[in-house]
Amino acid sequence: MKQSLLQEIHDFTLFGEHTDHFEYLASGKDGDVYTRDNYVIKVFKEDGKSRDDGMKLHLLKRSIYYPKVHAFTNDFMVSERVFGETFYQLDGHSKNLRKQYETEINQAIFDAQNAGLNAFDLHNHNLMLSNDGEVRIVDVGRFSLEEETLQLGFFKSLFGSSHRRHRKHKRRHDHSSSRHHYRHSSSSRRHHRRHSSSYSSYSS
């Protein structure tokens, strides 16, 4: 990504400049989504629960099932644009497509766990089928760090006996049959600083 484009995105997200250069795509619980060229820009809402999507995608950079993140701060995130349709656009609320691509979805969940994340809130709106017929998970805002999940489970065990009765264990992984698909990083010089006044780029 060119530094000039990254600066333009920064000015757009923080100061509302260059608005005619960006196309609005959608709004979610945590942010508004725009596009420019082959990039998706998510501008986080001040009252959103999640503002660390970029950090999570950075942790998932070796998996092919997630978009590549190019830059992120506490205010916005820039990732590659996945061209295709969501499972909801193709299948509505039906689970037929999810059954058809169950192997790929399970592998994406396994990749997330390898990165220290728990893949929560997977549904037909954030599962996409690219124009090349590949599965992509395009929203990881509700993914939780394993440490947070462990703490949540600990406090539930202390204060919520009713939760223990209804809690289901859904960890099902076929370690013998699943194959790991990873992106090969082209550079080992990637660092990140997460400040609202500055941004980090992960493009070469």
Side-chain angles (χ1 to χ4, degrees):
M1 173 183 287
K2 294 181 179 180
Q3 191 68 22
S4 58
L5 176 56
L6 189 57
Q7 183 63 51
E8 186 175 311
I9 292 172
H10 175 269
D11 294 342
F12 166 71
T13 58
L14 293 186
F15 310 117
E17 300 179 8
H18 315 292
T19 55
D20 55 330
H21 295 173
F22 296 86
E23 178 187 352
Y24 170 80
L25 288 181
S27 290
K29 296 178 182 178
D30 300 315
D32 300 317
V33 182
Y34 302 85
T35 184
R36 167 74 189 273
D37 300 335
N38 292 325
Y39 301 102
V40 167
I41 302 96
K42 184 173 184 179
V43 183
F44 299 119
K45 297 178 180 178
E46 291 185 2
D47 58 350
K49 293 182 179 180
S50 172
R51 299 167 70 91
D52 56 2
D53 300 42
M55 181 271 290
K56 292 170 183 174
L57 284 180
H58 179 58
L59 292 174
L60 291 161
K61 64 182 180 180
R62 298 180 65 196
S63 174
I64 66 168
Y65 296 105
Y66 301 89
K68 179 181 179 182
V69 63
H70 293 280
F72 60 91
T73 73
N74 286 329
D75 298 300
F76 68 91
M77 174 190 72
V78 185
S79 61
E80 69 171 317
R81 183 175 183 180
V82 178
F83 291 92
E85 295 181 283
T86 66
F87 278 30
Y88 179 79
Q89 291 172 315
L90 295 168
D91 207 24
H93 290 293
S94 171
K95 295 183 179 180
N96 292 331
L97 267 181
R98 295 183 68 169
K99 292 178 180 177
Q100 182 178 343
Y101 291 96
E102 184 176 10
T103 299
E104 290 85 350
I105 294 171
N106 285 342
Q107 183 63 50
I109 293 172
F110 183 69
D111 288 352
Q113 290 183 333
N114 267 352
L117 297 167
N118 284 280
F120 290 149
D121 198 36
L122 289 183
H123 49 71
N124 283 5
H125 287 283
N126 57 26
L127 289 166
M128 283 192 69
L129 191 64
S130 74
N131 290 342
D132 296 325
E134 299 176 340
V135 173
R136 294 289 185 272
I137 298 175
V138 294
D139 188 352
V140 298
R142 290 295 186 263
F143 282 26
S144 69
L145 295 171
E146 288 186 350
E147 182 180 356
E148 296 174 357
T149 304
L150 289 173
Q151 290 175 351
L152 179 62
F154 174 71
F155 284 113
K156 280 186 176 181
S157 68
L158 285 179
F159 302 111
S161 59
S162 61
H163 292 289
R164 284 203 302 272
R165 289 196 299 268
H166 297 290
R167 190 170 54 186
K168 296 180 180 179
H169 299 281
K170 295 186 178 180
R171 293 194 175 190
R172 296 183 301 139
H173 309 293
D174 186 358
H175 295 276
S176 61
S177 62
S178 62
R179 295 188 303 170
H180 299 276
H181 303 282
Y182 294 112
R183 281 195 184 94
H184 295 285
S185 176
S186 61
S187 173
S188 60
R189 52 184 169 78
R190 297 174 177 176
H191 308 280
H192 84 273
R193 295 179 303 162
R194 303 184 68 244
H195 304 291
S196 59
S197 60
S198 61
Y199 48 81
S200 303
S201 174
Y202 289 90
S203 57
S204 54

